[in-house]
Amino acid sequence: MKIYRTNGIIAGALFIITMMLGMFDASSVQPHIEETLQEITAIGDLLVPGAMAVFGMAIGIVGIALALFPVVKRQSETIAQTYLAFRF
C-alpha cells in the first residue's frame, strides 16, 4: 500500500506543477499568439519561457500517467495500458 500512496503523491504533485505551468503559458504567451510575426519578435523574451513551460507540461503529463499506471493496473490492466497510451 505504501507504493500506491507514493505514486499518488507524485501524481498529485505533477498535476499541480503542470497546472501552474499551463497558467503561466496562458497568461504570458497565449495572448500574443494571433499577432503578426514582427510583433512576436518584439516579445521574443516571453517565447522561450513559454515554450519551456509547454515542454514541462508535456513531461509532467507523461509522468502522471506513469505514476498512476500501477494503481490503475490493479483494477484493470487494459484500462491502465489504454490510459498510458493516450497520455503519451
Side-chain angles (χ1 to χ4, degrees):
M1 281 308 225
K2 184 167 176 58
I3 191 164
Y4 298 127
R5 178 175 164 76
T6 305
N7 286 359
I9 291 171
I10 291 170
L14 286 173
F15 182 77
I16 291 170
I17 290 169
T18 56
M19 292 300 292
M20 289 175 23
L21 289 172
M23 288 187 288
F24 171 74
D25 179 52
S27 67
S28 64
V29 178
Q30 193 68 25
H32 304 287
I33 292 296
E34 294 184 12
E35 294 180 359
T36 64
L37 190 56
Q38 293 169 343
E39 293 170 340
I40 288 177
T41 55
I43 58 146
D45 295 340
L46 284 177
L47 294 180
V48 173
M52 296 306 287
V54 172
F55 183 67
M57 284 173 39
I59 291 173
I61 288 170
V62 171
I64 291 169
L66 290 173
L68 290 180
F69 182 77
V71 178
V72 178
K73 184 179 175 184
R74 223 174 110 191
Q75 300 300 317
S76 171
E77 187 168 351
T78 304
I79 292 174
Q81 290 175 349
T82 304
Y83 178 71
L84 189 63
F86 277 119
R87 294 294 267 196
F88 268 98

